[in-house]
Amino acid sequence: MKPAVEFKDYRWQYEGGRKDALRIPELVIGERSTVGVVGPNEQGKTTLVRTLNGIIPHSHRGVLKGEARVLGENVAEVSHQDLSRKVGVVFSDPDSQFTSMSVEEELVFGLENLNLPLAEIRGRLEWITRILELEDFLAKPPYELSGGQKQKVAIASVVVMKPKILVLDEPTSMLDPRGKEEIFRAVRRIKEEERITLVITEHNLEELLKIVDRVIHLDEGTLVFEGAVADFINAFDYSQDKIYPPEISSIFDFLKRGKEWDGDIPWKLEEGLKRYQRP
Amino acid sequence: MKRTLLGYVPEKSIVYNFHPFTRLFVVFLLTFVPLLILNPAFNGALIVLTVIFFAVSRIDLKIFRYYLPVFVLLFVFITAIYTFFAEEEMMTEALLSVGGVTLYRPAINYALKVYLRILGVLFLTIYFLHVMTESEIVVALRSVKVPFVISYTLGLSLRAIGMFLEDYRTVREAEKARALDISEMNIFKKAAKLINYIVPLLALAIRRTDEFSDAISSRAFSLKTMKNRPNYLARKNRFKWTDFAGICLAVLAIAAVFYLHHRIP
Amino acid sequence: MTAEEIWKVREGEIREPGIQHLVITALLIGVGTVAGMTGVSASVGFGVTFFWPAIAIQIVGGMWYGVWGGAVAAGTFPIISNMVAGTPPVGSLLWIPPNVIQGMAVGLVFRKFRLDPRLKSARDYLVFILVGGILASIPGALYAPWIGRMFGLFTEESYRVAAAAWLVGNGGSAIVFGIILLKALSPIVVKTRTFCKTLTA
Ligand SMILES: Nc1ncnc2c1ncn2[C@@H]1O[C@H](COP(=O)(O)OP(=O)(O)OP(=O)(O)O)[C@@H](O)[C@H]1O
Ligand SMILES: [Mg+2]
């Protein structure tokens, strides 16, 4: 499979920063894969996200070393404008994602920026409204939406631009449990509908690991692990307390250390229960 | 009910027969009457007209209750000015005298005219804020080809106002929970307290700048490619005959008012 | 960081307006409107107010964000907050010149003389109070009663009282609120990419 993203000896330091905010010696993200980026606070997740659509280095000041290629193009060389057509990004604060005064305006904003014909805009608007069930919201202003709904609109307004890569930067970190659920449901729906490359950063692993195939682990701004979810969960250091693994994985790790279990560690609740019931 | 800038309009209202631009244009045109004319006949008529607007738009007239204190305060302020600081030539005919303070008929007459003028402006502005939504203002501007960077920044500003009002309420609720009720403080204490709201709001604004900018540029927006943008929402808000009729009527009415005002000083 | 480093554009450093400047303009209009609308402002119509804490938003706007905060936002948000107080935008347009002066004056002087927006020395304070508090409020103080008179809100006789009240009320809020905001937030703001070393970027 062709890679969607390739990093080689990549480093980024913000202007005024004391050390590199992000260091990625080597990384390949395959096209159409779903990747979770995990790491505690301030470890470069957002910096990675900003690199993926060229906001870094084009809108932030700092020093870039090495190379980051997205869809085959070097981010430092391609214009941010071009890249943002192919890489859609949603950030974590639902309030700052919503930039206009109605859901409908919000959804067509990106399409107008792409300079699409009106008929195409209309078709895409109807499409996204249908798949994410937004009919009742179209005329609503942001202050009549919950945080989860605002965030869903933000995701919709990016997906409607049909990017090749969709990046969600801690999309649920500022939401209540219902909002979180709403967002994960929407993401699953998008995965069914559009076979795009999906990159999601989170520090809550419970929900994340259910939908991703691979995991990237950042610590102190450095890539420390990249691989399949099963490998991540089995190689995980359960004694650290910077990121929280799924409850069920912790339980199995505990059992394993007590020699009560010697198989692989599961990360989905149903999976864990099924395995444990087996004699 | 549809929520507007300051109130609500029923789902079925004559307001929707008019394009947002028409509403904006007519109201702004009419405000020239009180701005330029002091004659109470015209301002009185304007106030009556505005009340008729409210009625046919089916906006609940009870909303005026909220503005009552403003109306009263203005009245007190203006009569006070014309009582204590009246011009020489207005102090000719004493109306009554209480405790060394004399009210003069010409001064008070004048004060009432000024009051009516300000009331006229207030009524129109309140009407405007009751029949427009934030996004209709943006639609109105875009429909007459105001540069996108301006209409977009204005839309974003209106968005920001709503957002900070929510934040402001949150901060205040938190204060209330700590039993700091500012409605009982005197004006100096209130002023001192106010800074406790402005600092966090401004800090939030600063923090959100990055994320807003990143979110906007992530949707392929750029300062350079704003020309010849398609305007999808314009299709939904087309000008109809009612708009031409409304605008023509307003222009004619204003022309008539200024003609009459010129003829009968 | 010294005051010199705060303002100086280094060699090869590209400073040009970007989306973040549109965004901060809009956000300042938001904060300014909310500050202008809340409870304690004493408005008498046609944009004439004697106590107006939002003036501090204009001042820090010009200090940190040049024309974006000091002219565009400072000129615009009073139009919106006045509207809520019943002044039509047409009337508020008359207010743009004094508002822009209020917003820009102290930021211009601080840039010109490389003073520290974090208010570190007595000189910083002194200039801030003189220019931001007093000088910048004078045009408004002379202008407000004049506008007021144009619409009959004030009489010839009340002109001086009105001007003095304006100067004390607005100049006072500018000084007190301005100092608090600059002390609290300048250290953070000067490090952001939106901060304007020049008047536009
Ligand atoms: N715009 C910026 N300017 C300067 N430094 C920055 C900027 N954004 C982030 N940093 C710094 O870069 C480092 C990595 O931050 P980043 O935001 O990428 O982390 P994160 O993993 O996304 O954190 P969080 O979980 O808090 O979102 C931090 O030390 C942070 O202070
Ligand atoms: Mg982050």
Side-chain angles (χ1 to χ4, degrees):
Chain A
M1 227 187 303
K2 221 172 73 189
V5 176
E6 286 169 281
F7 282 72
K8 188 116 189 74
D9 297 324
Y10 178 81
R11 285 153 170 251
W12 171 263
Q13 182 171 24
Y14 287 102
E15 182 182 286
R18 257 172 285 117
K19 58 185 181 76
D20 291 339
L22 184 62
R23 254 169 299 152
I24 301 188
E26 171 111 51
L27 171 67
V28 175
I29 296 178
E31 211 161 51
R32 298 197 172 155
S33 56
T34 303
V35 183
V37 180
V38 306
N41 285 334
E42 302 272 289
Q43 303 309 325
K45 298 187 295 298
T46 300
T47 306
L48 172 61
V49 167
R50 287 177 177 151
T51 308
L52 292 178
N53 83 340
I55 296 179
I56 285 177
H58 296 292
S59 300
H60 284 270
R61 275 189 264 275
V63 182
L64 185 156
K65 288 189 186 129
E67 194 177 80
R69 289 187 167 274
V70 175
L71 298 170
E73 303 195 80
N74 187 332
V75 292
E77 285 158 15
V78 65
S79 85
H80 166 54
Q81 174 84 10
D82 283 345
L83 209 51
S84 64
R85 285 158 193 256
K86 297 175 196 151
V87 185
V89 182
V90 177
F91 297 90
S92 57
D93 180 358
D95 271 311
S96 351
Q97 307 305 298
F98 207 116
T99 65
S100 52
M101 281 316 302
S102 78
V103 170
E104 193 172 24
E105 267 172 72
E106 197 64 20
L107 294 174
V108 299
F109 174 63
L111 301 176
E112 290 183 348
N113 290 337
L114 292 180
N115 235 317
L116 296 176
L118 292 176
E120 171 85 25
I121 295 183
R122 183 205 197 119
R124 290 213 197 172
L125 183 63
E126 281 166 2
W127 168 73
I128 197 72
T129 306
R130 181 167 44 77
I131 70 162
L132 292 184
E133 295 161 357
L134 296 166
E135 292 87 358
D136 298 340
F137 296 119
L138 287 182
K140 286 204 171 166
Y143 46 73
E144 287 184 14
L145 304 183
S146 69
Q149 289 163 343
K150 276 182 214 158
Q151 198 65 323
K152 188 160 127 181
V153 171
I155 294 174
S157 68
V158 165
V159 171
V160 78
M161 295 170 72
K162 301 219 177 224
K164 294 214 165 63
I165 303 177
L166 175 64
V167 188
L168 307 175
D169 187 15
E170 296 198 52
T172 69
S173 67
M174 294 193 178
L175 304 179
D176 57 16
R178 266 187 59 193
K180 288 189 205 297
E181 207 175 291
E182 191 162 1
I183 294 308
F184 279 109
R185 208 172 40 233
V187 171
R188 271 189 223 108
R189 187 80 184 84
I190 292 161
K191 252 185 90 172
E192 288 161 17
E193 190 80 16
E194 291 278 279
R195 301 205 48 224
I196 50 180
T197 310
L198 193 56
V199 179
I200 310 175
T201 83
E202 269 290 347
H203 54 242
N204 168 2
L205 302 186
E206 195 87 52
E207 285 295 325
L208 180 73
L209 296 187
K210 288 184 197 160
I211 52 175
V212 301
D213 321 321
R214 296 182 78 80
V215 177
I216 290 171
H217 183 180
L218 294 175
D219 195 24
E220 313 253 316
T222 309
L223 183 125
V224 292
F225 176 90
E226 195 282 326
V229 178
D231 297 334
F232 173 71
I233 250 349
N234 281 289
F236 193 77
D237 173 9
Y238 288 87
S239 61
Q240 58 82 40
D241 56 1
K242 287 195 204 158
I243 40 177
Y244 304 105
E247 205 82 47
I248 193 74
S249 309
S250 298
I251 294 172
F252 272 82
D253 171 66
F254 180 78
L255 294 174
K256 204 168 178 174
R257 276 185 286 124
K259 308 264 187 272
E260 299 271 328
W261 177 256
D262 60 357
D264 282 349
I265 296 181
W267 61 92
K268 290 180 189 161
L269 186 61
E270 313 82 65
E271 184 76 4
L273 289 176
K274 232 187 325 184
R275 286 194 204 175
Y276 199 65
Q277 274 155 9
R278 243 183 291 155
Chain B
M1 296 294 254
K2 187 167 153 192
R3 183 162 157 187
T4 55
L5 282 160
L6 274 193
Y8 294 90
V9 176
E11 293 292 349
K12 281 204 173 32
S13 165
I14 195 169
V15 166
Y16 304 115
N17 290 346
F18 297 99
H19 189 280
F21 175 77
T22 310
R23 286 177 244 161
L24 186 141
F25 179 81
V26 169
V27 172
F28 283 9
L29 198 64
L30 290 179
T31 50
F32 279 100
V33 172
L35 282 178
L36 300 176
I37 295 177
L38 184 62
N39 189 330
F42 292 110
N43 286 324
L46 180 76
I47 292 176
V48 173
L49 182 70
T50 315
V51 173
I52 294 175
F53 280 0
F54 271 104
V56 299
S57 310
R58 300 182 53 207
I59 296 170
D60 195 347
L61 290 172
K62 282 202 206 92
I63 54 130
F64 279 100
R65 269 199 325 234
Y66 302 115
Y67 299 98
L68 211 59
V70 181
F71 298 156
V72 173
L73 206 73
L74 266 173
F75 183 76
V76 173
F77 175 81
I78 292 167
T79 33
I81 290 279
Y82 282 87
T83 302
F84 299 106
F85 300 102
E87 327 259 358
E88 233 22 270
E89 64 269 22
M90 288 183 185
M91 303 202 292
T92 48
E93 190 187 334
L95 194 63
L96 80 149
S97 188
V98 199
V101 179
T102 312
L103 299 185
Y104 294 95
R105 188 185 292 278
I108 295 303
N109 253 340
Y110 199 83
L112 290 178
K113 286 186 197 167
V114 169
Y115 181 62
L116 214 56
R117 145 189 271 180
I118 294 178
L119 222 49
V121 170
L122 264 174
F123 271 52
L124 272 176
T125 314
I126 294 171
Y127 179 70
F128 179 77
L129 296 173
H130 274 270
V131 293
M132 296 291 279
T133 66
E134 290 91 337
S135 74
E136 282 171 342
I137 292 182
V138 177
V139 167
L141 295 181
R142 284 190 75 182
S143 71
V144 288
K145 306 261 177 329
V146 168
F148 185 71
V149 62
I150 294 177
S151 66
Y152 185 69
T153 310
L154 183 70
L156 199 58
S157 308
L158 294 171
R159 162 85 188 102
I161 295 170
M163 191 174 71
F164 289 122
L165 273 177
E166 270 174 46
D167 292 335
Y168 172 72
R169 285 193 201 107
T170 314
V171 179
R172 276 200 62 164
E173 290 304 312
E175 292 264 275
K176 282 229 183 80
R178 300 206 311 260
L180 282 167
D181 188 0
I182 74 159
S183 57
E184 288 179 359
M185 296 178 184
N186 69 36
I187 187 142
F188 292 104
K189 279 215 181 121
K190 271 189 188 171
K193 213 69 245 132
L194 195 72
I195 200 71
N196 287 356
Y197 304 138
I198 298 182
V199 173
L201 288 190
L202 201 53
L204 270 175
I206 292 159
R207 210 201 63 203
R208 281 180 176 146
T209 317
D210 259 1
E211 194 149 327
F212 259 112
S213 318
D214 287 350
I216 291 169
S217 55
S218 295
R219 276 178 249 164
F221 179 82
S222 127
L223 295 178
K224 284 166 198 121
T225 53
M226 270 184 313
K227 285 179 220 102
N228 305 320
R229 259 174 121 262
N231 181 354
Y232 177 76
L233 293 178
R235 286 180 6 151
K236 294 192 48 180
N237 297 281
R238 288 223 171 97
F239 285 101
K240 293 185 296 233
W241 70 268
T242 42
D243 295 296
F244 293 105
I247 289 176
C248 289
L249 211 62
V251 172
L252 283 177
I254 285 291
V257 164
F258 282 100
Y259 177 73
L260 281 177
H261 179 250
H262 190 67
R263 289 293 298 273
I264 351 165
Chain C
M1 225 191 302
T2 64
E4 179 73 25
E5 283 165 352
I6 287 179
W7 299 116
K8 191 158 184 244
V9 178
R10 276 166 297 144
E11 231 179 85
E13 184 180 352
I14 301 163
R15 299 211 68 106
E16 52 183 40
I19 289 168
Q20 69 272 27
H21 295 111
L22 286 190
V23 170
I24 194 69
T25 306
L27 294 183
L28 285 175
I29 292 175
V31 180
T33 305
V34 173
M37 275 163 43
T38 46
V40 288
S41 27
S43 162
V44 296
F46 289 100
V48 180
T49 47
F50 291 108
F51 172 73
W52 199 61
I55 194 173
I57 305 288
Q58 299 180 306
I59 289 179
V60 298
M63 181 79 96
W64 297 330
Y65 305 114
V67 296
W68 304 106
V72 185
T76 311
F77 79 72
I79 300 181
I80 302 176
S81 66
N82 279 342
M83 203 154 130
V84 182
T87 310
V90 196
S92 293
L93 291 182
L94 297 166
W95 276 101
I96 291 178
N99 277 324
V100 170
I101 294 173
Q102 253 160 222
M104 291 302 294
V106 80
L108 272 171
V109 172
F110 267 60
R111 280 183 181 76
K112 174 103 184 94
F113 296 103
R114 301 271 196 255
L115 297 170
D116 198 321
R118 297 165 300 182
L119 301 181
K120 295 274 184 192
S121 69
R123 203 167 60 121
D124 301 332
Y125 276 99
L126 197 69
V127 174
F128 180 76
I129 291 170
L130 275 180
V131 179
I134 301 167
L135 273 180
S137 296
I138 289 178
L142 298 177
Y143 193 81
W146 180 71
I147 294 267
R149 271 189 62 203
M150 212 158 89
F151 296 103
L153 265 176
F154 296 115
T155 56
E156 180 88 52
E157 304 291 319
S158 55
Y159 190 108
R160 246 177 292 162
V161 182
W166 175 282
L167 194 60
V168 173
N170 285 277
S173 351
I175 293 170
V176 176
F177 292 126
I179 289 178
I180 296 175
L181 289 180
L182 290 175
K183 283 307 277 184
L185 299 172
S186 280
I188 306 164
V189 174
V190 296
K191 288 190 209 138
T192 62
R193 65 176 163 146
T194 316
F195 176 73
C196 292
K197 292 186 175 183
T198 67
L199 285 179
T200 55

